[in-house]
Amino acid sequence: MELFRFAHPEYFWALLGIPGLTILFVYLRIQRKNALRKYGEPALVKMLMPNVSGVRPVIRFAVVMLALAFFILGLARPQFGSKLKKVKRQGVEIVIALDVSNSMMAEDIKPNRLERAKRAIDRMISKLKDDKIGLIVFAGDAYTQLPITSDYNSAQLFLSSVNPEMIPKQGTAVGAAITMAQRSFTASAESSKAIIVITDGENHEDDAVSAAEEARKAGMVVHTIGMGLPQGAPIPVNAGGQGEYRKDKQGNVVITRLDEVTLQKIAASGGGIYLRANTAQVGLDDLFDEINKMQKTEMEAHTFSEYEEQFQYFLAAGLLLLLLEFIILERKNKYLKRIKLFK
């Protein structure tokens, strides 16, 4: 079923100018008529000006107003489109579990681990076509930041707001994040499912290896990406000015180091792969290529088809009316005056 709409209905306000112009035109015509009466009787004046038409200016004005109305309708951009319909898509479902603990602010990967991970995720979202994506953030607890969706603009918007302050409890609850990711997929869908855990793996608190194994048994693949360098780096703090770093109870600067062994075990238990980020790349691009090799399954999504523009017809009608107005002369043509088309 076809739908008709105007893309810019606010231009309809300009139609209110047509009655105003009409009133002004009528007023000027009355003033002109009154002025001619000062020169003599209307019948006598008409005899003295035999080629002057009283109807032609009215017709010309009406044609111009009609042309203006068509131009306004064209500016409002009339469009035809189709109703909401089901579109079949083939893809996979991806849930990213992103570590937002304080240790992710370490700057061994510039500008810092968290910001570099966010940029890599944003680039990956830009490459998605028919896949669905969800986002979970975790530190000492895990929370759903974005439910599984095919709305990539929303995904990038929610991703941009991620920061360590959103989870007050510190830690690295990778197991809780994997369990929550497992519950985040579409329950009824038989699509291929992948969980990507992005973390430095430090201060591991729960049994993430068992959680990854449970996810694998449920038909999901768990990949891990290690953020950080083996030598580690201090954790900057906001308070105290530049160059201040987090310290332990003895006053020593805390160094956060990547726990690769744990992340490798998690990936192995989840049937996935482990990649380590470095100063050049995070590794999401390579991992995305790996995910693209997974079997694509049919998923349903609802979308509007694109509307087709119809403004050109209204603009063409307006131009034709202006051409007609140009052809209609104010005075009677002495060669065509016998033709009583206009009195």
Side-chain angles (χ1 to χ4, degrees):
M1 182 178 178
E2 294 294 320
L3 284 179
F4 183 77
R5 74 172 188 180
F6 288 94
H8 296 291
E10 63 272 12
Y11 283 108
F12 285 142
W13 289 104
L15 291 173
L16 295 177
I18 295 179
L21 292 173
T22 303
I23 293 173
L24 178 61
F25 176 78
V26 172
Y27 172 76
L28 293 175
R29 293 292 296 177
I30 294 174
Q31 290 292 99
R32 180 178 179 276
K33 190 174 183 180
N34 291 335
L36 287 175
R37 284 178 179 174
K38 295 180 180 180
Y39 291 97
E41 291 295 327
L44 180 59
V45 173
K46 186 176 182 179
M47 291 177 62
L48 294 174
M49 299 185 299
N51 293 327
V52 174
S53 173
V55 178
R56 288 172 182 258
V58 176
I59 294 176
R60 292 187 67 183
F61 176 79
V63 170
V64 171
M65 290 299 99
L66 188 58
L68 178 60
F70 275 111
F71 283 136
I72 293 172
L73 289 173
L75 289 175
R77 288 180 57 194
Q79 300 172 332
F80 277 110
S82 299
K83 263 192 172 181
L84 190 67
K85 63 180 181 180
K86 289 183 179 179
V87 177
K88 299 292 184 179
R89 293 181 174 179
Q90 286 190 334
V92 300
E93 292 190 353
I94 305 168
V95 173
I96 296 178
L98 178 60
D99 186 355
V100 295
S101 59
N102 288 330
S103 60
M104 289 290 286
M105 299 305 293
E107 299 173 347
D108 48 352
I109 296 180
K110 300 296 182 182
N112 58 60
R113 298 173 181 177
L114 179 59
E115 184 61 31
R116 189 65 174 274
K118 288 170 59 177
R119 293 178 184 177
I121 296 171
D122 186 82
R123 286 197 304 272
M124 190 191 80
I125 293 174
S126 299
K127 295 181 179 180
L128 297 179
K129 292 182 179 179
D130 296 327
D131 307 299
K132 290 185 177 181
I133 190 167
L135 179 63
I136 289 174
V137 293
F138 68 94
D141 293 315
Y143 298 94
T144 298
Q145 175 74 355
L146 177 71
I148 195 82
T149 181
S150 56
D151 186 350
Y152 304 140
N153 290 331
S154 295
Q156 290 173 316
L157 180 63
F158 278 92
L159 175 67
S160 64
S161 64
V162 170
N163 62 81
E165 286 74 27
M166 61 197 319
I167 300 180
K169 182 180 178 181
Q170 285 301 301
T172 310
V174 180
I178 294 175
T179 301
M180 180 165 288
Q182 186 177 344
R183 297 196 299 263
S184 299
F185 292 104
T186 306
S188 58
E190 297 181 357
S191 58
S192 299
K193 301 176 176 67
I195 300 173
I196 303 176
V197 180
I198 303 178
T199 177
D200 54 27
E202 195 176 48
N203 298 327
H204 179 60
E205 296 183 352
D206 49 16
D207 194 353
V209 175
S210 297
E213 187 174 354
E214 290 297 321
R216 180 180 58 79
K217 290 179 181 179
M220 305 164 194
V221 179
V222 181
H223 304 285
T224 57
I225 294 180
M227 297 299 300
L229 302 180
Q231 63 269 26
I235 305 172
V237 293
N238 293 328
Q242 296 181 348
E244 290 293 322
Y245 299 98
R246 197 172 298 276
K247 299 179 180 180
D248 57 20
K249 295 180 180 179
Q250 289 73 37
N252 299 317
V253 174
V254 176
I255 301 298
T256 171
R257 293 181 173 86
L258 175 65
D259 185 357
E260 284 195 283
V261 175
T262 300
L263 295 180
Q264 288 170 347
K265 290 180 180 178
I266 294 171
S269 298
I273 61 175
Y274 165 75
L275 295 172
R276 189 182 77 189
N278 53 45
T279 55
Q281 60 180 359
V282 171
L284 260 179
D285 292 337
D286 296 333
L287 191 53
F288 184 63
D289 293 338
E290 189 71 22
I291 291 174
N292 272 334
K293 296 177 184 177
M294 298 175 67
Q295 182 180 358
K296 304 285 185 177
T297 54
E298 191 172 87
M299 297 184 291
E300 283 187 355
H302 292 83
T303 183
F304 279 102
S305 64
E306 291 186 358
Y307 284 83
E308 294 183 2
E309 299 285 352
Q310 306 294 326
F311 69 90
Q312 60 271 19
Y313 300 109
F314 292 88
L315 296 183
L319 290 174
L320 287 175
L321 287 170
L322 287 182
L323 179 61
L324 178 62
E325 186 271 343
F326 179 77
I327 294 174
I328 300 173
L329 302 176
E330 286 276 356
R331 292 176 170 270
K332 297 178 182 178
N333 190 301
K334 63 179 180 179
Y335 300 106
L336 302 176
K337 64 181 179 180
R338 293 181 181 180
I339 302 175
K340 303 297 183 182
L341 184 59
F342 302 110
K343 294 182 179 180

